[in-house]
Amino acid sequence: MWNLSRDAVRHIFEREPDVLVIGTDGSRTKRGYHTLRIPESVAERVHRRMCNPGLTTGSGGRKFGASRDHQLLSTTDGP
């Protein structure tokens, strides 16, 4: 959708508020797997922020007003 690799999308959203991270960190012998559940409102917020880096935060420390979560976008780490 944004012409970015899965790894780039994971990096952008891994520490974003309101993104649900499901999975395990792994151990010395097993690889960790994570699934990111990204609400549509978060994807829109990040997209606006990336397109308009000069915007300042409004009241309450939020950049944008609340929006509805109609669907979830997901990305899965692993095969």
Side-chain angles (χ1 to χ4, degrees):
M1 184 162 115
W2 291 0
N3 271 344
L4 297 172
S5 70
R6 288 181 179 186
D7 290 335
V9 172
R10 281 186 201 102
H11 182 70
I12 291 169
F13 286 99
E14 65 189 353
R15 290 192 172 87
E16 191 68 31
D18 301 323
V19 171
L20 180 62
V21 180
I22 304 168
T24 61
D25 287 333
S27 66
R28 287 176 19 123
T29 58
K30 291 186 89 173
R31 178 178 173 202
Y33 289 93
H34 295 102
T35 297
L36 301 180
R37 300 294 290 175
I38 305 167
E40 184 177 12
S41 61
V42 174
E44 290 171 357
R45 178 181 70 210
V46 170
H47 188 262
R48 283 192 301 260
R49 185 175 66 220
M50 291 176 68
C51 291
N52 302 303
L55 291 178
T56 58
T57 58
S59 62
R62 294 186 64 154
K63 280 189 178 243
F64 308 100
S67 64
R68 295 169 289 163
D69 295 342
H70 290 293
Q71 71 185 74
L72 293 175
L73 307 174
S74 71
T75 178
T76 303
D77 190 18

